Amino acid sequence: MNALSKRLRARDTQAVIQVETVGQRTLADLGKGERGIIATLTGADSPAVTRRLFDLGLVPGAEVTLLRRSPLADPAIYRVADYDIALRRHEAARVILADPA
Amino acid sequence: MSSHCAPGEGASGGSTTTSNRRFSLVGSPNSGKTTLFNALTGMRAKTGNYPGVTVARYEGKTSVNGATVTIEDLPGAYSLDPISLDESVVTQVLDRENTDLPTPDALIVVADVTTLRRSLAFVAQVLCLELPTAVVLSFNDELSARRGRIDAAQLSKALGVPVVTVTAGSSREITSLRDLMADPASWQRPPVPPPTDPSEISSWIDSVLTSADYVAPEPDARTRGVDRVLLHPVWGTLVFLLIMFSLFQAIFTLATPFMDLIETFFGWLGGLASDFIPGLAGRFVSEALIGGVGGVIVFLPQIMILFLLISLLEASGYMSRAAFVMDRVMRRFGLEGRAFVALLSSLACAIPGIMATRTLPSAKDRIATMMAAPLMTCSARLPVYVLLIGLLVPDTRWGPVGVQGLALMALYVFGALASMLTAALFSKITSRRHQSLPFYMEMPPYRLPSWRSVLLSVWDSALVFLRKVSSIILITTVILWGALNLPLRGEAELVDQGVNPADEAAVAAYTIEHSVAASVGKAMEPAFAPLGFDWRINVGVVSSLAAREVFVATMGQIVAAEDPEDPAEALQTMTHTSGPNEGEPVFTPGTIAALLVFFMFALQCFATIGIIRRESGTWKWPAIAFGYMLALAWGFGLLANVVVSAVT
């Protein structure tokens, strides 16, 4: 493990809160076609997962749209950071959305 | 924690002479690294529109300004904070303190320009390594087609490193990249490395994108439209099933004319050899070389069609959708969508399937998928299945649907079911040290497959198969021919045993019956008699340990000796030579069914055992895989024999 990876591992992605109004809803609560702004990421039990979501562009302040759910309802495809990504409900629930102002 | 990477984190690279220079290609999965690698080196690594096609490190050589340099294609990584084995490989290669692997002298970061916002987060991490770095922007044609834009010169200024745009197929742009690679020591370096602190990275990306006058592309309208159908709850599921169904029908229907041609050719060649080469040598050439090898080459068309269809699915972007649709089903078995792709590529061969497990973040999923992959019906089983189905199932059609094709599909379905259940079992057993790892999968836009890369993949599969035929299969067939035909019998002994030395077929039958191979096969009889196997089938089963296809060649040799005119006919009329069933046919429906089931389950492939050892790092898992698969093969083989014998 190189020094850089060690430092990247030590990042605290959950401390980043860029939006004032942290809401109750998460990505998993979005309906089809609905969009939201990411307020913060949670999940103290597995920070590696949160750091990965962060590196995938699910960063506080980013806009996310739920494009469609899979035929069996889970996972779902989201559009974020100008690309499409599939996430399971379990991961999506770590992404807390801002309250619509 | 400092907000920027500390300066002087390592010595500067580029100290080696030009001729030994090493460039590494890094980038997110599906960013076009492998396409660039192929363009630079002229090598033909496999590319696909599915994240995670490069599952190992590839190295190639190319020349810049007359000097030879090494180019390394690293697996895709979303971050240098690794979460999967693939990504760990990348961080290890980039780690200067790791002396086992040569540290590259310069890095080329490939960034998909249509997803630049996300890609820049990775670029920022790479720049913190403080190695000479250049950024290559890929998919520029797609960016402008979807009405986005970028100013590469300004991006270069904002990042502080050289930026080159490369569009697949443009040799002018490759040339300018080559020129740049002539002297990495002169590459511009950022005065201050980008931030790594999560609270600063977003604004850094924003400012870089603004300076580069970046306009993100619109979502791909065609992809949205196609997804509306292919990911629709009803239509999507139907299309998925239809695609899988057509895959197997195509393997049978499209290949038949080519197989007939090859068969006719080798039949003619074998006849020629036995006519013109006298005695034992003639028999060796016509039976071992032409009969054994030709009997396996017949399956080349089917293997090429299988690879053609799989690489079309990969290159078009449908494979990601299949993984997406199947994720929920896979979760029932304790796995995830990406494991479905690993299992699906095991239809070609378990080896790439097992190597594809490197993209799975979870070690538990990796082991479970590795244990399950060899149960997927690989292309080496195909020849055996085709031969046995031909004996068991009549060649009739129900409307447009061939019954033999249906039987083949049923075998594939059973194999897949067994594979999934195994995965679930191993996933349960190994989940004690469960660690929560995320499931995420990029959905690339649909892209028209490049015919060049699809045809290369088919061509490579053909070469690999032919190489296998000309090495391990040829060697096994030759050894086997010796084992079947030696020791030679003297005339006196033949007469003694009541065999007419002038009757060639009778002599051959007697020789085989008392050959070295026969004694091995007969020694195994107590273990395999319950499945209906006689010693000749046992010889075939043992020989198939080298490669499953050898079974076909072995049976071909055995029967060719008894009836060289029509081996298929001879198999059907083969009778037990001893024991309580003497004189009765060997290939009864029960025995054929047991054989099919045996081949479905047994791990008769040294190469797979080797790769499981390499990928799991211990002999424990290959031993477990071999053991449990043999137990399943024997148990279900017995069951198949009993059930089928009872109903027929």
Side-chain angles (χ1 to χ4, degrees):
Chain A
M1 178 81 45
N2 60 41
L4 175 65
S5 296
K6 276 192 196 120
R7 218 179 22 202
L8 290 171
R9 176 160 289 187
R11 289 175 298 168
D12 183 4
T13 43
Q14 294 167 45
V16 188
I17 302 173
Q18 274 191 347
V19 180
E20 300 290 312
T21 48
V22 176
Q24 300 294 311
R25 301 180 75 208
T26 71
L27 264 194
D29 302 322
L30 285 179
K32 188 180 167 185
E34 198 184 349
R35 54 184 76 196
I37 305 285
I38 298 176
T40 189
L41 305 172
T42 62
D45 52 323
S46 46
V49 176
T50 319
R51 290 201 309 277
R52 175 46 50 111
L53 294 175
F54 187 90
D55 285 336
L56 290 168
L58 294 148
V59 296
E63 188 183 283
V64 193
T65 310
L66 189 147
L67 294 179
R68 64 176 63 248
R69 296 193 179 282
S70 95
L72 298 168
D74 190 32
I77 302 179
Y78 299 89
R79 184 157 189 88
V80 65
D82 311 324
Y83 79 113
D84 298 350
I85 185 171
L87 295 173
R88 283 181 181 170
R89 174 175 290 275
H90 182 253
E91 277 80 37
R94 292 163 168 267
V95 182
I96 312 292
L97 298 174
D99 264 341
Chain B
M1 178 205 293
S2 94
S3 63
H4 290 270
C5 14
E9 200 155 81
S12 62
S15 53
T16 37
T17 55
T18 323
S19 57
N20 292 326
R21 242 183 224 132
R22 240 185 129 70
F23 291 85
S24 290
L25 300 182
V26 292
S28 318
N30 211 32
S31 60
K33 281 185 313 300
T34 304
T35 307
L36 179 65
F37 176 77
N38 290 344
L40 281 173
T41 63
M43 277 181 65
R44 311 142 163 190
K46 188 178 145 206
T47 64
N49 186 15
Y50 171 76
V53 174
T54 311
V55 286
R57 296 188 302 139
Y58 282 98
E59 271 188 22
K61 304 264 184 207
T62 189
S63 114
V64 290
N65 283 6
T68 307
V69 299
T70 304
I71 299 184
E72 178 181 40
D73 184 19
L74 290 175
Y78 286 109
S79 167
L80 295 180
D81 175 7
I83 204 166
S84 66
L85 189 70
D86 249 358
E87 293 182 338
S88 297
V89 168
V90 177
T91 56
Q92 277 162 19
V93 170
L94 300 183
D95 183 3
R96 290 187 190 79
E97 278 141 52
N98 187 334
T99 45
D100 299 338
L101 298 164
T103 309
D105 299 297
L107 301 178
I108 297 173
V109 193
V110 184
D112 176 351
V113 75
T114 65
T115 64
L116 194 58
R117 180 173 290 277
R118 192 206 63 221
S119 309
L120 276 182
F122 181 69
V123 171
Q125 295 182 354
V126 173
L127 290 180
C128 283
L129 290 164
E130 304 203 45
L131 284 163
T133 303
V135 173
V136 166
L137 298 177
S138 56
F139 297 111
N140 290 284
D141 41 349
E142 207 169 301
L143 179 74
S144 37
R146 282 158 53 193
R147 282 187 255 173
R149 63 159 193 266
I150 184 136
D151 183 336
Q154 289 301 322
L155 180 67
S156 167
K157 210 176 259 175
L159 291 174
V161 298
V163 173
V164 185
T165 59
V166 165
T167 314
S170 159
S171 54
R172 189 178 50 81
E173 289 172 322
I174 291 290
T175 309
S176 60
L177 177 61
R178 252 185 232 284
D179 291 343
L180 185 70
M181 287 166 65
D183 189 12
S186 73
W187 289 358
Q188 200 195 341
R189 307 218 192 172
V192 183
T196 54
D197 191 295
S199 62
E200 292 171 44
I201 183 74
S202 299
S203 44
W204 180 84
I205 292 174
D206 279 336
S207 77
V208 170
L209 289 177
T210 310
S211 325
D213 192 26
Y214 181 68
V215 174
E218 292 168 359
D220 184 26
R222 199 179 41 180
T223 297
R224 289 279 184 277
V226 175
D227 272 348
R228 243 192 294 285
V229 180
L230 291 191
L231 297 180
H232 186 274
V234 179
W235 305 127
T237 314
L238 280 179
V239 169
F240 174 78
L241 294 176
L242 191 71
I243 286 178
M244 294 298 136
F245 176 78
S246 326
L247 197 78
F248 301 116
Q249 284 290 318
I251 288 172
F252 252 89
T253 331
L254 297 181
T256 314
F258 300 102
M259 294 176 69
D260 289 346
L261 262 173
I262 297 175
E263 227 160 40
T264 315
F265 172 74
F266 277 102
W268 170 80
L269 203 65
L272 217 61
S274 53
D275 285 350
F276 285 95
I277 310 172
L280 201 62
R283 280 190 45 218
F284 175 74
V285 172
S286 73
E287 286 167 20
L289 299 186
I290 298 172
V293 172
V296 180
I297 288 188
V298 167
F299 299 98
L300 185 61
Q302 291 182 322
I303 285 164
M304 288 172 74
I305 289 171
L306 179 71
F307 275 85
L308 173 75
L309 297 174
I310 286 184
S311 70
L312 278 177
L313 289 182
E314 255 172 19
S316 63
Y318 184 73
M319 212 61 129
S320 300
R321 271 73 185 179
F324 174 69
V325 170
M326 288 301 287
D327 178 65
R328 189 63 189 270
V329 178
M330 297 301 287
R331 208 180 326 167
R332 285 234 160 263
F333 297 94
L335 295 173
E336 57 152 276
R338 274 172 293 194
F340 172 76
V341 177
L343 292 181
L344 196 67
S345 43
S346 302
L347 288 182
C349 173
I351 290 165
I354 288 168
M355 285 173 59
T357 62
R358 290 179 173 201
T359 58
L360 303 180
S362 140
K364 159 186 90 86
D365 283 10
R366 277 199 80 210
I367 291 291
T369 313
M370 247 184 248
M371 290 294 106
L375 281 175
M376 296 299 288
T377 305
C378 66
S379 54
R381 285 183 177 96
L382 197 53
V384 181
Y385 282 2
V386 173
L387 176 80
L388 295 176
I389 288 176
L391 292 177
L392 185 65
V393 181
D395 184 15
T396 48
R397 301 185 79 81
W398 295 336
V401 181
V403 178
Q404 293 188 336
L406 274 185
L408 183 71
M409 187 166 134
L411 287 171
Y412 273 81
V413 170
F414 286 141
L417 268 180
S419 171
M420 301 286 274
L421 290 171
T422 307
L425 187 71
F426 278 98
S427 173
K428 266 225 163 65
I429 295 173
T430 54
S431 69
R432 280 165 301 189
R433 290 169 291 121
H434 184 72
Q435 190 196 354
S436 166
L437 286 161
F439 169 78
Y440 57 88
M441 200 170 51
E442 192 177 343
M443 298 304 230
Y446 290 105
R447 290 178 177 134
L448 274 181
S450 123
W451 280 106
R452 194 184 126 85
S453 74
V454 168
L455 290 179
L456 278 178
S457 145
V458 174
W459 176 240
D460 280 346
S461 74
L463 282 186
V464 167
F465 179 71
L466 289 177
R467 210 171 294 142
K468 195 169 161 191
V469 170
S470 66
S471 55
I472 189 157
I473 294 180
L474 179 65
I475 292 168
T476 326
T477 353
V478 168
I479 294 176
L480 208 77
W481 188 85
L484 283 170
N485 290 285
L486 300 175
L488 285 175
R489 302 290 156 180
E491 221 164 276
E493 184 188 346
L494 291 173
V495 175
D496 236 23
Q497 296 295 322
V499 179
N500 177 6
D503 180 353
E504 273 184 33
V507 173
Y510 179 83
T511 312
I512 285 187
E513 171 104 46
H514 297 88
S515 66
V516 179
S519 43
V520 173
K522 283 176 179 162
M524 289 168 61
E525 262 182 345
F528 287 102
L531 279 66
F533 299 0
D534 82 333
W535 61 269
R536 285 165 295 196
I537 298 180
N538 293 344
V539 171
V541 167
V542 171
S543 69
S544 72
L545 270 174
R548 291 185 177 93
E549 304 95 320
V550 171
F551 179 79
V552 176
T554 309
M555 297 322 283
Q557 279 197 45
I558 293 176
V559 297
E562 293 175 4
D563 182 0
E565 299 306 316
D566 189 352
E569 179 75 13
L571 271 188
Q572 250 154 351
T573 54
M574 201 165 111
T575 51
H576 284 280
T577 52
S578 59
N581 303 325
E582 191 171 346
E584 289 170 29
V586 174
F587 281 91
T588 61
T591 303
I592 301 172
L595 252 179
L596 279 171
V597 169
F598 189 85
F599 271 88
M600 187 191 299
F601 287 110
L603 182 51
Q604 294 140 295
C605 179
F606 287 140
T608 304
I609 292 173
I611 207 85
I612 297 178
R613 156 78 184 87
R614 200 185 81 192
E615 293 296 312
S616 68
T618 105
W619 278 111
K620 176 178 132 189
W621 292 111
I624 290 176
F626 187 81
Y628 95 80
M629 288 176 72
L630 185 63
L632 285 181
W634 195 88
F636 282 101
L638 178 63
L639 189 69
N641 187 14
V642 170
V643 171
V644 173
S645 301
V647 297
T648 50

